[in-house]
Every structure is written in C-alpha cells, then in structure tokens.
C-alpha cells in the first residue's frame, strides 16, 4: 500500500527497468532480454527473457557446401574445354545456365539460413516455447508453462559440442504434458540455470 | 517424310545444343519456380510465428527477390533463347 503522496511505478515498468533490453543481432544464438522480438500468441505483458538458436557452428556444413557449389561452374568450364572441345554453346545459353545455377545456389543458401534462423527457442516469464523448423514444409511448435515444469537438464555430447560449448536442453513436465527440447544451443549450463531459476528447481546434468 | 528425312531431322535437332539446353532449362525452371514460391510463402508464414523486427523484413525481401530472379530467368530462357 503506497503512502500518501508516494509515486508507485506499475509492475511492468518496474520489471522493464530492472532488465535493460538490447536490440538482438541477426546471427544471435544466445540473447537475454531481446528487444524487437515477438512470437505468435505472445501475451500482452509477456516478456521474452531468453532467445536461443542452434550454435552458429552447426551452419558450417551447409556454408561449405554452398562455397563448393559456387566454385563448380569455373571448374566445369575448364574441364569441359579440355575434354569436350566439340561441345559449344552460345553466350546467351551459357548466361542462362549460369544465372539459373547461381539462383539455385542462392535458393539453397536462403533455405538453409531460414531453417536455422526460424528454429528458435524462447524463454519468457510465463513459458518455454520451442519452434522447430524441420524442413521447408514441416514445423513443430511446442510450449510448456513454467508452472508445469518438473525438471530441467542439459547434455553436451561429442568433442565439437564440448569445444564450442553447445548442447541440448531438456525441459520436462509430468507425463501428461509434452516436453520441450532445445538442441545444440550455446552455453547450455547457463540456459539450464536461467530456466531453473525461473521455475525454482535445480538444473541437472 | 521417309526414314532418311527423319534421321536427318533428328541429327539436326541433336546437334543444336542450344535448343536442347533451352528445353532442359524450361523443364527445370518450372518446378524450381514452384519451390521458390513455397519457400517465400513459408518464410512469410514463419515470420508470423517468430518476428525479429530488425531482420525479418530483410529475409522476406530476399525470398521475394529469389522468386523474381527465377521468373526473370524463365522469361529470358523462353523469350530470348
């Protein structure tokens, strides 16, 4: 109960001032209190505490594939002039082939980047949301309210995960509700601790 | 048209690499255009599920540019080649 003449900030303003929000970067994989981020069915006063994506190192295979695909045409041009000198195409046809080829390479990059970019985990002050984009035609959105969380655990498996400090987070509920799993997220110990602090349990390895 | 004419026609067709490539490109471009449209539609749809104000417009624009590039290549192959 405020004293007479005392000015009291609303609860939301108090929370916002306690945690400074910062604009989230394009390639952010671990970001606390992101600014300018929202998701479908977000509550009016629901605050995003943590934004998670798979560690950037998990993108290396498709980035290398894209670089490999990008250098295929010059190599093919050299080889075809050596082994198939009789096979000639007009400049216009070559231009069309190359333009199409690099459009496909661009499409591949756009697809792979989108699969990574939209595959996010969100921890809010009310729930844990996991948006899994499995492929271009399949996505799986699961969420668990913090009240229903029974256990939070994490796992780091393999040399790469240990070296780059990423791993899986498992947010478990009782048997009647679905569980949420974040895979290959950076700093799993810290993520587990943040969720556990919100829930009021101890993280388990 | 006798058998000799048919053989000559086939040889003339097969020796025109540019025409063969044009047909192959059109066959490949049509399903690829469908893929590009689905990709753009999915990016817009996923942008509703998760929206990052400072970057979502860029990825949406890139998906539209991708579709436009495929349409441009298709038109080039059909009209110019």
């Amino acid at each position: 109960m405020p004293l007479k003449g005392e000015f009291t900030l609303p609860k939301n303003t108090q929370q916002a001032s306690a945690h400074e929000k910062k604009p989230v970067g394009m390639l952010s994989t671990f970001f606390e209190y992101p600014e300018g981020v929202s998701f479908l069915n977000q509550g009016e006063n629901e605050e995003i505490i943590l934004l998670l994506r798979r560690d950037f190192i998990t993108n290396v295979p498709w980035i290398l594939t894209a670089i490999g695909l990008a250098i295929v045409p010059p190599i093919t041009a050299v080889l075809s002039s050596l082994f198939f000198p009789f096979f000639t195409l007009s400049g216009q046809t070559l231009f069309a082939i190359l333009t199409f080829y690099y459009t496909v390479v661009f499409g591949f990059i756009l697809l792979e980047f989108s699969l990574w970019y939209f595959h996010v985990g969100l921890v809010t002050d009310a729930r844990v949301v996991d948006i899994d984009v499995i492929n271009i035609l399949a996505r799986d959105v699961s969420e668990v309210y913090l009240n229903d969380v029974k256990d939070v655990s994490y796992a780091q498996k393999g040399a790469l995960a240990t070296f780059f400090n990423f791993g899986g987070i498992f947010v478990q509920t009782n048997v009647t509700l679905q569980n949420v799993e974040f895979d290959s997220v950076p700093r799993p110990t810290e993520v587990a601790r943040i969720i556990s602090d919100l829930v009021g349990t101890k993280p388990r390895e | 048209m006798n058998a000799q004419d048919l053989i000559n026609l086939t040889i003339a067709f097969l020796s025109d690499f540019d025409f063969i490539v044009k047909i192959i490109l059109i066959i490949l471009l049509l399903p690829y255009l469908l893929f590009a449209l689905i990709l753009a539609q999915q990016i817009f749809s996923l942008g509703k599920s998760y929206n990052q104000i400072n970057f979502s417009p860029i990825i949406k624009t890139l998906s539209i540019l991708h579709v436009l590039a495929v349409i441009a290549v298709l038109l080039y192959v059909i009209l110019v080649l």
Side-chain angles (χ1 to χ4, degrees):
Chain A
M1 185 76 180
L3 298 169
K4 196 176 179 184
E6 187 184 8
F7 178 69
T8 309
L9 284 169
K11 202 176 179 185
N12 293 340
T13 319
Q14 285 174 348
Q15 282 175 348
S17 60
H19 306 287
E20 192 189 343
K21 289 198 167 196
K22 282 178 270 181
V24 57
M26 182 179 93
L27 304 176
S28 292
T29 53
F30 178 102
F31 207 94
E32 286 183 84
Y33 296 97
E35 189 183 57
V37 172
S38 60
F39 62 96
L40 197 66
N41 301 328
Q42 184 176 359
E44 201 176 323
N45 295 320
E46 191 174 357
E47 186 181 30
I48 298 173
I49 292 169
L50 193 58
L51 163 68
L52 297 166
R53 282 197 185 95
R54 282 175 295 182
D55 197 278
F56 195 79
I57 198 78
T58 59
N59 290 325
V60 168
W62 71 258
I63 290 172
L64 290 177
T65 306
I67 293 168
L69 289 172
I71 59 171
V72 163
I75 294 168
T76 310
V78 172
L79 291 177
S80 65
S81 63
L82 285 173
F83 296 107
F84 307 102
F86 56 89
F87 186 81
T88 53
L89 292 169
S90 71
Q92 286 180 330
T93 307
L94 277 174
F95 174 74
I97 292 170
L98 279 176
T99 315
F100 175 52
Y101 181 81
Y102 281 109
T103 307
V104 172
V105 174
F106 178 71
F108 170 73
I109 294 168
L110 188 64
L111 170 68
E112 291 291 339
F113 182 79
S114 305
L115 293 180
W116 174 79
Y117 174 79
F118 289 109
H119 190 120
V120 291
L122 298 162
V123 180
T124 75
D125 52 5
R127 54 187 157 164
V128 179
V129 182
D130 182 25
I131 303 171
D132 282 349
V133 184
I134 300 147
N135 59 50
I136 187 179
L137 296 172
R139 85 184 91 154
D140 179 22
V141 182
S142 49
E143 62 178 43
V144 167
Y145 280 88
L146 294 176
N147 295 338
D148 297 323
V149 174
K150 296 287 176 229
D151 187 38
V152 182
S153 58
Y154 64 94
Q156 276 184 302
K157 288 174 187 167
L160 211 62
T162 308
F163 187 75
F164 290 100
N165 192 20
F166 66 85
I169 301 285
F170 309 98
V171 180
Q172 291 171 317
T173 61
N174 58 44
V175 284
T176 55
L177 297 168
Q178 62 180 340
N179 298 327
V180 165
E181 184 179 338
F182 300 139
D183 49 329
S184 306
V185 293
R187 293 144 71 179
T189 319
E190 206 172 327
V191 175
R193 183 191 55 76
I194 290 169
I195 300 171
S196 297
D197 286 349
L198 287 167
V199 176
T201 62
K202 281 189 176 176
R204 193 169 53 80
E205 195 169 355
Chain B
M1 185 184 280
N2 58 27
Q4 187 62 45
D5 291 338
L6 198 67
I7 291 166
N8 288 339
L9 199 70
T10 309
I11 290 169
F13 172 76
L14 290 176
S15 59
D16 187 359
F17 292 132
D18 288 318
F19 186 74
I20 295 168
V21 169
K22 179 179 178 171
I23 299 297
I24 292 170
L25 278 177
I26 292 171
I27 291 168
L28 293 175
L29 272 160
L30 288 171
Y32 190 75
L33 177 61
L34 186 67
F35 162 77
L37 286 167
I38 291 169
L39 180 60
Q41 192 270 333
Q42 284 296 92
I43 285 174
F44 274 76
S45 170
L46 286 164
K48 287 176 190 164
S49 296
Y50 168 76
N51 185 28
Q52 194 173 312
I53 290 168
N54 60 355
F55 188 66
S56 287
I58 298 173
I59 196 164
K60 285 176 184 172
T61 308
L62 287 174
S63 71
I64 293 170
L65 286 175
H66 180 231
V67 173
L68 292 176
V70 179
I71 293 170
V73 177
L74 184 62
L75 289 176
Y76 180 82
V77 170
I78 292 170
L79 301 175
V80 179
L81 283 190

